[in-house]
Amino acid sequence: MFRHVSTGKTRNKLLGGAATMLLGALAIVPSAQATEELNALVWCDHTDPALIAPFEKKYDVKVNLKEYEGTGAGLSIIEQSRAGDWDVMVIDGVDVHRAVDMGILAEIPADALPTADLFPEVVMADNNMVDGKTYAVTEKFGYNTISFDKTKVDPKDMEDMSVIWSDKYAGRIAVYDYYLPVIGLVGLGLDIDTADLGADDMPAIKEKLFAMKKASKQVGEVVSSQTALATGEVDILVGGGEWITAVLSEDKPNLDWVIPKQGGLRWAQSIAVMKDSEKPDLALKFVQYILSPEGQARLATSSCYWGMPANAKAGANLTDAQKSALRWDDQEGYLANSQLYPIPDADLDAQMQDAWVEMLQQ
Amino acid sequence: MASATLETRENRRAWGFVTPALLWTVAFFVIPFIVMAAISLATRKGRELVMAWNLDNYIAFFEKAHLLKGLFVSLEITFTVTLISVVLAYPLAWIIAERIPQKWQRMALIMAILPFWTSYVVRSYSWLLVLAKNGVINNTLMHIGLIAEPLELASTRSATVIGFVHFFVMLLTLTIYANLVQMPPNYRRAAADLGANGFQVFWHVVLPLTLPGIMVGAFLTFVLCIGDYITPQILGGNNELALPQIIMLQLGRRADFPMAATLSIILMVVVTLAYIACARWLKMERT
């Protein structure tokens, strides 16, 4: 008599076969995927699903996001990509000309943008336009200054830039790992305007950078800097600002920031359509969404970091608590006491980067 | 005549077996290496790549102290990690091979290699939490009253070394264990019969016979450690830069491919020198 016995191996084969058939069946079922894709090279604040999902839903599109920090890194990614790989790019406002010179940005029709709704100080036509043509538009701005834990340091001390290279808080300082704003801040501490910063100033700046490194505990990118301040690993963050503390305002009310008496650096990020984009219309719609009051409010309070929206009408979409964390009502004074990032030429940029690596190796 | 034909046929078969691997090596190692070597002789002018065919980047590496220091930082970290890992892995491998019953050895090995199952990045960040000012170690030491103020453990070279050692001890344990279990027990018995004490048996018999396992593991540790970017970046707090971090800076921030290629070639030269030093134990030398 035969008895049918299903051995372990037989069962495994059967299960394997069933799984293969199931996968095959799934492969031929029409998927609910978006019909189009948009590739955006962005800063980390754009990776918040709360910001991107409404656009994806409205236009039935999948937005592929690649995050980067620092224009050099962004341009490096583009140089390693093929033409047409990217549709949209977020870029430092002061570097738009650099990107236009490289021929990677497309002209944006001026009437397609809500320029009249932007805070006048951040329209930055000199930066976003070349030869009368608009290539980018400011979407968000804020300040690189000094963030600190007000329960652990004397807030009065933070009003003087020289505190960052003094010994008073040695070992309790983190430095944001982006050479341009921090070198700009050190320059301001030495009474050098960012627009005037040149190669002759580098020896003095290096000396202060090295002193600052000696007093610091770590030099890190956005997340590690924010984590270090939030967890109490450090008490001061050089290069920080509302973009570091505002997002933590509910959980960490002890964190604060200040623009020192010497001034602070103003960062402004612009958004642009790539020249070789194969979907320029969709790319422009994305830019328009980001610049809309709804998009601006979501971008301003993005999970990665908060910052002031460029569009003044976004205020209607923000809560009082959010506006308070962003210090909406203090912007006039801040704008007056802040300068844009330095815009070095290639040689000065190389010198700055060498100085930065030298500082890291101290 | 017949033997010549047979030889030719066998030669063809041998080439047939070797050719795919040879093509693979040429396509994915030799050609990229030649391209990288050529780019290292170019120069970056602004954002343009100029094929200048000079040694400026190599000269700059030796002239710029902060670049040269990257190599020394890498070497110091790598030698420290390799040494500590060997010292910790040897007794661990010995215990697994000699003191744990054979039926439990497989389980012990699985436990030993468990850290390999976690993402390398996650493991590094986990160490950051353990070593932080208010992390597990500092909290424990303060709780039991051994220290009053938290120790500065995170964002230091020590943190980088700890992160590396955690990983490489497991690798070395495997290579040394493999050597230990292959060693016939008669060798030790014979040495003991001839009057050697425990230490003498270890020093004159066991250690020399397990040296290949140590050297293979040490070489792998050296190669993987000196080329690693993630651990020093996460745990070192950017307080000093190892050579791979400087290479990443050239690529990520400056798009300076010639300098990145130069530094990569220098790194390869260092690894090649390490290989030559270990070749005797890696059993790859021509005799």
Side-chain angles (χ1 to χ4, degrees), chain A residues 180-350:
Chain A
L180 272 179
V182 177
I183 287 178
L185 274 177
V186 170
L188 289 181
L190 294 171
D191 208 20
I192 305 165
D193 286 352
T194 53
D196 301 332
L197 208 155
D200 294 343
D201 301 315
M202 287 311 293
I205 286 178
K206 272 167 74 169
E207 187 193 330
K208 295 301 179 197
L209 278 178
F210 296 170
M212 181 183 72
K213 175 67 182 347
K214 197 177 163 195
S216 70
K217 180 175 166 56
Q218 69 168 69
V219 183
E221 33 66 56
V222 174
V223 178
S224 69
S225 299
Q226 196 174 43
T227 306
L229 190 63
T231 58
E233 196 68 24
V234 298
D235 301 325
I236 298 168
L237 174 60
V238 178
E242 84 297 343
W243 60 280
I244 286 286
T245 57
V247 70
L248 301 167
S249 55
E250 278 188 20
D251 298 330
K252 297 277 177 187
N254 52 320
L255 301 184
D256 204 350
W257 64 281
V258 69
I259 294 185
K261 64 185 180 193
Q262 293 94 336
L265 263 280
R266 184 165 81 240
W267 56 265
Q269 59 193 64
S270 294
I271 187 165
V273 173
M274 301 300 285
K275 190 179 175 186
D276 293 320
S277 168
E278 289 165 6
K279 299 154 194 162
D281 294 337
L282 186 61
L284 181 59
K285 283 193 175 87
F286 184 73
V287 172
Q288 287 170 327
Y289 162 70
I290 294 291
L291 265 291
S292 70
E294 301 79 24
Q296 284 279 280
R298 291 177 191 128
L299 181 65
T301 55
S302 155
S303 58
C304 185
Y305 63 90
W306 286 24
M308 277 292 292
N311 190 334
K313 287 189 174 174
N317 295 71
L318 292 166
T319 65
D320 286 344
Q322 288 171 330
K323 284 163 83 171
S324 169
L326 288 166
R327 301 195 188 167
W328 188 277
D329 297 329
D330 300 326
Q331 291 302 315
E332 195 179 337
Y334 293 158
L335 285 164
N337 195 25
S338 59
Q339 299 181 22
L340 290 173
Y341 279 25
I343 310 177
D345 58 23
D347 286 340
L348 181 57
D349 189 60

Side-chain angles (χ1 to χ4, degrees), chain A residues 116-145:
Chain A
D117 297 337
L118 306 191
F119 287 101
E121 293 89 342
V122 298
V123 170
M124 293 169 56
D126 288 346
N127 299 88
N128 288 319
M129 295 175 74
V130 178
D131 298 333
K133 295 175 182 172
T134 302
Y135 287 92
V137 56
T138 310
E139 55 167 19
K140 189 171 175 179
F141 69 98
Y143 310 92
N144 288 108
T145 61

Side-chain angles (χ1 to χ4, degrees), chain A residues 69-76 79-80 98 102 171-172 177-179 213 216-221 223-224 227 231-235 346-347 349-351 353-362, chain B residues 44-48 64-71 73 125 128-129 131-135 151-156 233 236-243 246 249-257:
Chain A
E69 269 186 57
T71 303
L75 297 181
S76 183
E79 285 188 0
Q80 293 167 61
R98 216 166 135 190
M102 284 174 69
R172 297 162 62 187
D177 184 17
Y178 188 11
Y179 68 103
K213 175 67 182 347
S216 70
K217 180 175 166 56
Q218 69 168 69
V219 183
E221 33 66 56
V223 178
S224 69
T227 306
T231 58
E233 196 68 24
V234 298
D235 301 325
D347 286 340
D349 189 60
Q351 281 186 47
Q353 296 211 38
D354 275 345
W356 193 254
V357 178
E358 274 186 69
M359 179 203 76
L360 292 174
Q361 287 291 46
Q362 290 295 307
Chain B
R44 180 86 178 167
K45 295 281 183 203
R47 297 201 73 79
E48 298 295 318
K64 291 186 176 178
H66 60 277
L67 296 180
L68 192 57
K69 191 183 171 189
L71 176 61
V73 168
Y125 271 113
L128 199 57
L129 295 176
L131 300 170
K133 210 184 239 182
N134 51 5
L151 302 171
E152 294 294 343
L153 298 171
S155 304
T156 61
Q233 184 70 21
N238 259 350
N239 280 320
E240 59 183 1
L241 297 177
L243 203 51
I246 298 179
L249 280 179
Q250 308 304 317
L251 291 171
R253 287 203 179 157
R254 309 176 79 150
D256 191 345
F257 301 109

